[in-house]
Amino acid sequence: MLFPTTIAGSLPKPEWLAEPNKLWAPWKSQGDELARAKRDATVLAIKLQEDAGIDIVTEGEQARQHFVHGFLEKVEGIDFAHKVEMGIRKDRYKAMVPQVVAPLRLKGRVHADEARIARAHTTHQVKFTMPGPMTIIDTIADQYYGDRVKMAFAFAELLNEEAKALQADGIDLIQFDEPAFNVYMDEVNDWGIKALERAADGLTCATAVHICYGYGIKANTDWKDTLGSEWRQYEDIFPTIAKSPIQQVAIECRNSKVPLELLGLLKGKKVQAGVIDVASDTVETAEDVVKVIEAVSKHVAKSDIIPTTNCGMAPMRRDIAEAKLVALGTGAKLARQRLG
């Protein structure tokens, strides 16, 4: 099918699961009750996507408090009890983060429950997201390895272990989220892409990397205002990504200052083109979505375009996020009729 749709990964959590409209939102329950609430929210997220016309669904990251720390919670060698304040994304904003204090190992499966719930409740293709190695080490303090690269590859090993298990659970597409890729461009080319490739090594399901300028939170929007009329950071890393075995690249395109001609550097890749702006509460029309898809198609083969959201929608109001899902689905359908 032309222009199959997906989302970046996250959806807002229901009010009965976690505090709404907030990143790092605290859970409303605990123990077995929390496990049941996460399950119900996961099934609901899948249903909402299906009804909106989303073709490749996710579990909405409903079982995770944060896209990075949801993985870290199942890793030995990390001290969550003594968090420290750290600058994230080259000090763009501060966060209280856990510390690596010992060798890293998985305690067991990380995302088995939500992956299996998702697989059992849809006949659609299922995408599952995990943080990439570079983004993880940019979101945690190191008190053990003493070497960013060494720690990144240690995390890549663990990500690979869980990714292979997710594939065995029936996941069709595994996406690694690497917002740090447009902050540390030299390091991406030096070792970041190699760490990502290690995380995806041996997978036979589809693979993707999501690179973006971040959620629509104030720290990110303020930073974007300093980047000028064109955002050309990707120009430095797309050629390296194009040479990698990662099959898909997710990029924001709606209301973005990324020159779309840069997408032409991603030779041989499918492009998950962000046609929904998550930094605005304005709900797109189907026509808006078609316009972005048409603009992207000038630089990417139509058969390689997967319309998606610019980034995750975790901090958004639920009613707005759900309306944007519908716009994505109806817009892609209209694009098939007009551009197919």
Side-chain angles (χ1 to χ4, degrees):
M1 179 176 64
L2 201 61
F3 309 137
T5 52
T6 191
I7 64 172
S10 67
L11 288 172
K13 295 177 177 64
E15 293 85 346
W16 41 263
L17 176 61
E19 189 175 334
N21 314 128
K22 187 177 181 180
L23 287 175
W24 314 86
W27 301 116
K28 292 287 187 73
S29 56
Q30 55 188 350
D32 291 343
E33 182 181 349
L34 177 58
R36 289 192 296 271
K38 288 179 176 180
R39 175 195 179 279
D40 293 346
T42 298
V43 175
L44 176 61
I46 292 165
K47 174 65 172 170
L48 289 171
Q49 289 171 79
E50 289 181 345
D51 288 353
I54 306 305
D55 303 297
I56 306 165
V57 301
T58 79
E59 33 56 87
E61 299 182 10
Q62 298 296 292
R64 297 177 243 180
Q65 196 173 46
H66 183 266
F67 84 104
V68 175
H69 291 192
F71 183 83
L72 299 183
E73 288 168 359
K74 299 293 181 69
V75 178
E76 289 183 4
I78 298 177
D79 180 3
F80 275 89
H82 302 92
K83 291 184 177 179
V84 297
E85 186 176 72
M86 186 175 107
I88 305 295
R89 315 292 180 261
K90 275 192 176 178
D91 281 334
R92 191 187 314 165
Y93 55 92
K94 304 287 186 181
M96 297 301 294
V97 301
Q99 304 181 73
V100 175
V101 296
L104 297 166
R105 299 184 189 86
L106 290 185
K107 297 175 182 178
R109 284 300 309 279
V110 181
H111 297 302
D113 289 347
E114 57 265 44
R116 292 169 184 172
I117 289 166
R119 183 67 282 166
H121 285 87
T122 186
T123 58
H124 286 44
Q125 288 192 7
V126 177
K127 174 169 89 170
F128 207 93
T129 61
M130 290 195 292
M134 179 176 278
T135 295
I136 289 179
I137 69 160
D138 196 47
T139 321
I140 193 167
D142 176 25
Q143 299 296 335
Y144 177 78
Y145 285 92
D147 184 310
R148 280 169 55 84
V149 179
K150 187 175 180 180
M151 187 167 73
F153 275 87
F155 276 115
E157 297 279 346
L158 305 188
L159 289 164
N160 185 250
E161 183 179 339
E162 177 64 14
K164 287 178 176 176
L166 288 168
Q167 178 177 272
D169 290 332
I171 298 301
D172 302 286
L173 167 60
I174 292 177
Q175 175 180 293
F176 298 96
D177 296 333
E178 283 285 22
F181 267 28
N182 72 356
V183 183
Y184 307 103
M185 281 78 72
D186 290 343
E187 292 180 75
V188 171
N189 293 322
D190 184 24
W191 60 264
I193 194 69
K194 296 182 181 71
L196 177 64
E197 290 170 357
R198 178 64 193 94
D201 186 49
L203 294 176
T204 56
C205 65
T207 57
V209 59
H210 169 68
I211 312 168
C212 72
Y213 286 77
Y215 290 122
I217 59 175
K218 188 177 187 302
N220 288 334
T221 55
D222 288 349
W223 172 65
K224 292 175 190 179
D225 288 340
T226 71
L227 298 178
S229 60
E230 284 194 344
W231 302 346
R232 304 196 69 93
Q233 283 87 346
Y234 296 146
E235 195 167 19
D236 295 330
I237 61 174
F238 276 2
T240 301
I241 294 173
K243 296 173 186 174
S244 81
I246 302 296
Q247 298 159 351
Q248 301 181 15
V249 183
I251 298 294
E252 66 269 67
C253 299
R254 166 76 177 167
N255 291 343
S256 164
K257 295 180 182 178
V258 176
L260 292 183
E261 64 264 23
L262 297 185
L263 299 176
L265 298 173
L266 293 169
K267 301 295 184 185
K269 304 299 180 189
K270 289 187 179 296
V271 174
Q272 293 183 30
V275 299
I276 298 294
D277 183 3
V278 302
S280 168
D281 285 347
T282 301
V283 177
E284 288 79 1
T285 66
E287 292 284 351
D288 292 331
V289 170
V290 172
K291 287 177 183 176
V292 180
I293 293 173
E294 188 171 25
V296 171
S297 71
K298 292 178 170 59
H299 309 283
V300 179
K302 292 176 184 177
S303 58
D304 288 336
I305 297 173
I306 301 172
T308 186
T309 56
N310 276 354
C311 190
M313 295 198 282
M316 294 192 78
R317 278 174 37 193
R318 283 181 66 197
D319 58 333
I320 292 173
E322 289 172 22
K324 284 176 175 279
L325 285 180
V326 173
L328 174 56
T330 56
K333 183 178 180 181
L334 183 60
R336 290 179 203 118
Q337 295 169 359
R338 290 198 186 161
L339 306 176

